[in-house]
Amino acid sequence: MGKGGGCVPSKKKFPKPTTAAAVSDNDEDNLPESTAPTTTNAADDSVPTTTPTRSFKLFIVFYSMYGHVEGLARRMKRGADSVDGVDAVLYRVPETLSDDVLAKMLAPPKDDSIPVIGSPEDLADADGFLFGFPTRYGSMAAQMKAFFDSTGQLWREQKLAGKPAGFFVSTGTQGGGQETTAWTAITQLAHHGMLFVPIGYTFGAGMFKMDSIRGGSPYGAGVFAGDGTREPSETELSLAEHQGKYMAAMVKRLAQG
C-alpha cells in the first residue's frame, strides 16, 4: 500500500503465453500436439480421382452348319468392336450331331479359332447378346434350341433378366423364315425376362433395295443360303455389321443406366 493509500499496480511480471510462432525450429518436438505445425501437400488436392471405365461384354452366340451364319457373326463382331468400351466375343453352341452324320451332310469342318461356349452359366457374364442360327421349318435349328433348353438354372434364378438380345438367321429360300425364325425365338427371351432388340429399318436405304436378293428383316440380319453354295452378299454382310454396331451401342447405353 502506498503513502497516499491508493492502489499501486503490482510490478510482478507474469510469463507470456507460449505460442508455436515463438518457438524455434529445434523445439518443435517439445510442443503440445495441438500446437505443433502441420504440413500439407498441396499437390494432393490437385490430383483428380478417376474411376476406371468398365468394358461391356457383348456375346455373339451362334450355330452354323455350312458357314453362312458364321460369316454374319464375324461381320457383327467387326461392327460391335467399332463401339468404344464394348468387347464382342464369338461363341459356338455345342454340336449335337455326330461326325459321321455331319460328313454325310457334307458339312465343312468348324474353325477352331471360335470356341464352343463352355457352359450356359457363362451367359451371366455378358451385358448383351446376339444369337444366330439357321432355320428349320421356320424356327431355330435343334442345336440352338438344345442350348436354350440347357439354360434352366439361369431361368430359375432370372440371371439374364433385363439384358438386351437380338437375332440373326440363315434360310434356304426367300420364303423360308427370314422373319418367322427370329419371331418364334422371342419366346426364349420372354421366359428369361430379356429385352428383344430388333434393328427395325435403322440400316437405312439398304433395307429398301429391290435390285438384288437380300436376306435380313426388321427383326435382324439374315442371309439366303440356297442349297448351301450361295455365299452372303456384301449387302447382307453390311447389314450384319450394322446390327453388331447397333447392338453394341444399345448394350452400352443400357448397361450405363
Side-chain angles (χ1 to χ4, degrees), residues 51-59 80-81 83-89 125-128 248 251-252 255-256:
T51 303
T53 56
R54 183 170 76 89
S55 178
F56 303 107
K57 292 183 180 180
L58 172 62
F59 282 8
D81 286 341
V83 176
D84 185 51
V86 177
D87 181 21
V89 185
D125 296 332
D127 298 291
V251 166
K252 186 176 181 179
Q256 287 177 333

Side-chain angles (χ1 to χ4, degrees), residues 2 17 30 41 48 63 81 88 98-99 125 136 154-155 172 185-186 194 206 212 215 228 237 255-256:
N30 298 322
N41 187 355
Y63 175 74
D81 286 341
S98 67
D99 291 341
D125 296 332
R136 297 294 184 265
L154 294 174
W155 163 78
I186 294 176
M194 301 169 74
S212 63
L237 293 173
Q256 287 177 333

Side-chain angles (χ1 to χ4, degrees), residues 77-118:
K77 176 174 168 56
R78 180 192 299 183
D81 286 341
S82 69
V83 176
D84 185 51
V86 177
D87 181 21
V89 185
L90 294 174
Y91 286 113
R92 299 182 190 276
V93 300
E95 179 61 77
T96 60
L97 298 177
S98 67
D99 291 341
D100 290 341
V101 172
L102 291 173
K104 291 177 180 178
M105 298 177 71
L106 303 180
K110 294 177 174 59
D111 186 351
D112 292 335
S113 66
I114 301 177
V116 175
I117 191 164

